[in-house]
Amino acid sequence: MKEKKNHLYVDSQERSILLHSLVELKNQLIQHGRYTDCVDELIFKVVNAPIKRMKIEYV
């Protein structure tokens, strides 16, 4: 069975907020002595995600 893929489209401001919150979560996990592997993977994916230009029309 194929794994379902989800795509998330965010603008530069949302991307910045997402990165800051992931780093904050990582810092909290480190303070509690827990593993940060999954958060590290998410940070890596967000930083290296391709930028796709989209035109949005408001009605």
Side-chain angles (χ1 to χ4, degrees):
M1 187 169 141
K2 284 188 175 181
E3 187 175 316
K4 184 179 176 183
K5 290 187 177 184
N6 294 316
H7 299 275
L8 179 66
Y9 297 101
V10 295
D11 61 12
S12 61
Q13 183 180 8
E14 293 169 336
R15 184 177 177 173
S16 175
I17 292 170
L18 181 61
L19 281 173
H20 285 293
S21 59
L22 286 172
V23 169
E24 195 171 309
L25 175 62
K26 181 179 176 178
N27 290 337
Q28 289 176 1
L29 291 174
I30 290 171
Q31 285 179 351
H32 293 295
R34 299 177 63 193
Y35 293 109
T36 61
D37 298 339
C38 58
V39 178
D40 291 335
E41 288 179 26
L42 283 174
I43 292 171
F44 183 77
K45 286 182 180 182
V46 170
V47 169
N48 294 320
I51 296 174
K52 183 176 182 180
R53 301 287 180 205
M54 297 179 66
K55 186 175 184 178
I56 300 174
E57 294 182 18
Y58 294 102
V59 179

